[in-house]
Amino acid sequence: MADLIPLVQAHCIARKGSEHRLGDARLAELLPQVPGWELAEDGHALVRTFRFDNYHGTMAFVNALAWIAHREDHHPDLGVHYDRATVRFSTHDVGGLSENDFICAAKASALVEQ
């Protein structure tokens, strides 16, 4: 199924319950739409490490991502280091991945592609 709008332009919708957890077919459809992102080993999260030249670049990215996460009300787990930030999205309320994770992953990627 083709999505009507690109993930980066979509907005998160509150999702609770396992019926919103994405199945393998939908994961296979969405994953190519977020290049650079991978499924975590347990298959319950999207993960990507973003690399930067210095701490200032890393923190600028993290702060911009925090603003997006607040606006979308969907917050990642972050690992912040001098020259990189590891971002992990999952939807705890569905027990795995939801479309919200892919929406926010696309928005995070757009921050470094601009």
Side-chain angles (χ1 to χ4, degrees):
M1 173 180 118
D3 293 309
L4 298 176
I5 62 172
L7 288 169
V8 73
Q9 294 176 7
H11 293 285
C12 294
I13 299 169
R15 301 180 191 277
K16 290 185 185 264
S18 60
E19 67 273 12
H20 296 289
R21 186 176 31 225
L22 299 177
D24 291 342
R26 186 67 174 143
L27 290 173
E29 191 177 300
L30 289 171
L31 197 55
Q33 296 182 43
V34 287
W37 290 83
E38 299 176 344
L39 291 177
E41 286 184 25
D42 64 6
H44 294 291
L46 279 177
V47 181
R48 181 174 175 185
T49 297
F50 293 89
R51 299 201 175 274
F52 303 94
D53 292 334
N54 53 45
Y55 188 70
H56 176 75
T58 303
M59 292 309 297
F61 170 79
V62 167
N63 285 321
L65 182 58
W67 185 83
I68 289 169
H70 176 71
R71 186 181 69 188
E72 295 295 333
D73 196 23
H74 194 68
H75 307 90
D77 292 326
L78 297 170
V80 180
H81 308 275
Y82 175 81
D83 61 350
R84 67 195 181 283
T86 300
V87 182
R88 179 183 170 102
F89 279 107
S90 65
T91 305
H92 304 288
D93 287 339
V94 304
L97 288 164
S98 74
E99 291 197 11
N100 290 344
D101 301 306
F102 286 87
I103 290 167
C104 287
K107 291 177 185 290
S109 293
L111 290 173
V112 298
E113 293 167 0
Q114 295 177 358

